[in-house]
Amino acid sequence: MFDLDGRVAVVTGASSGLGVAIAEALASVGARVAVVARRADKLAAVAKRIGGVAIARDLSDLDQAGSVIPAVVDALGPPEILINAAGSMFTEERAEAEPRVAIEQTLGLNLIAPFLLAQAAFPHMVEAGRGSIVNISSISGRVGIPGIPQASYAASKAGLSGLTAELAVQWARHSIRVNTVAPGFFRSEITGPLYDSSKAAEYLRRNTPLPKEGSAQDIVGAVLWLAGDAGSYVTGQTIVVDGGWTAR
Ligand SMILES: NC(=O)c1ccc[n+]([C@@H]2O[C@H](COP(=O)([O-])OP(=O)(O)OC[C@H]3O[C@@H](n4cnc5c(N)ncnc54)[C@H](OP(=O)(O)O)[C@@H]3O)[C@@H](O)[C@H]2O)c1
């Protein structure tokens, strides 16, 4: 049920953190993986390790985002799996002070780029007669996070869940499934400063029911389930993987 032998998969944000773990996991069950992010050196190392291809692009530049899927088709063939994991925060200001440019950057990278990638993958998935798209959002698209202001980030991640449900319904007739995985807190480049501050790390521990720190590996199971046949009747959903943070 978890075998992806020969299927072409695209993973954005695969130069670090969750994206790397996801790309490695897909490759380990047989997928041929294209990894996408800006840092060509890191991407090349990941691609080499997993026998995939590196496609260096800045997804904040929506023209570059539009060129990803054609490059994947050239290098590996038509994609059947798309994992939109690239994402970032562009401001730490409180909502009332977020600069407009940061709001636009956040929505561009975290919401518009995944939509454009899905649009570009669509005809190939239609042709294949199946496809799975998994967007990586965040629990902040579902609940407010006290003490860590992130209004535009939360809006972009909640937007992914709305997009997911709508694409799932529109594209179900082609057997294309669209889901979102919403992580809680995991140590990575984006959250490194949080974990490095003992006060913040204690805040994370106190608010996470499961008694261990989330690692990139903890997100992989949900993505593998949704990417392949194990999740064949699941579409339009947002699956929360957060150690129980939002269950409190
Ligand atoms: N870690 C957490 O606790 C957590 C919680 C909730 C949600 N998430 C989400 O999970 C996803 C992965 O985050 P992570 O924790 O693994 O963080 P990370 O280590 O900072 O990884 C972010 C990835 O996105 C890529 N990226 C950033 N800006 C990009 C751009 N303009 N164009 C192309 N790629 C870009 C980065 O690569 P380059 O720098 O090489 O471009 C990197 O590969 C993100 O969508 C994040 O919002 C993470």
Side-chain angles (χ1 to χ4, degrees):
M1 291 186 105
F2 291 90
D3 183 43
L4 297 177
D5 202 23
R7 293 189 212 180
V8 173
V10 186
V11 184
T12 72
S15 62
S16 70
L18 306 183
V20 173
I22 292 166
E24 288 172 346
L26 294 173
S28 76
V29 290
R32 296 188 298 132
V33 183
V35 289
V36 183
R38 289 167 301 181
R39 286 169 293 178
D41 52 338
K42 288 195 173 259
L43 276 184
V46 175
K48 188 168 176 212
R49 207 163 59 240
I50 66 174
V53 300
I55 297 179
R57 295 286 188 282
D58 182 348
L59 298 174
S60 285
D61 173 343
L62 297 179
D63 291 330
Q64 288 194 42
S67 74
V68 167
I69 299 296
V72 173
V73 174
D74 282 349
L76 292 177
E80 289 182 40
I81 297 165
L82 167 63
I83 315 293
N84 283 311
S88 195
M89 282 186 178
F90 292 89
T91 173
E92 295 180 357
E93 296 286 349
R94 293 181 58 77
E96 60 273 25
E98 280 201 21
R100 176 176 155 177
V101 63
I103 298 170
E104 289 175 350
Q105 282 174 316
T106 310
L107 293 172
L109 176 64
N110 294 3
L111 181 57
I112 300 176
F115 190 3
L116 295 182
L117 279 147
Q119 284 182 319
F122 171 74
H124 302 292
M125 294 179 173
V126 171
E127 181 76 24
R130 66 181 179 189
S132 174
I133 298 171
V134 181
N135 299 307
I136 305 298
S137 69
S138 165
I139 56 168
S140 68
R142 181 166 285 201
V143 295
I145 309 286
I148 310 176
Q150 47 189 291
S152 55
Y153 180 80
S156 70
K157 296 302 194 179
L160 283 176
S161 290
L163 179 66
T164 289
E166 179 62 23
L167 295 185
V169 169
Q170 288 195 30
W171 294 354
R173 74 190 67 172
H174 302 291
S175 297
I176 299 170
R177 295 180 298 103
V178 188
N179 291 287
T180 284
V181 171
F185 287 93
F186 296 82
R187 190 189 283 272
S188 72
E189 287 184 16
I190 208 176
T191 53
L194 263 182
Y195 284 93
D196 292 343
S197 139
S198 56
K199 195 170 158 216
E202 172 50 27
Y203 164 79
L204 298 182
R205 259 196 303 280
R206 215 175 39 246
N207 287 289
T208 305
L210 283 177
K212 71 161 190 153
E213 194 178 277
S215 80
Q217 288 307 320
D218 292 311
I219 209 76
V220 159
V223 177
L224 279 184
W225 168 53
L226 294 168
D229 298 343
S232 63
Y233 210 51
V234 182
T235 196
Q237 303 306 306
T238 295
I239 309 296
V240 175
V241 181
D242 67 352
W245 182 289
T246 53
R248 293 163 307 138

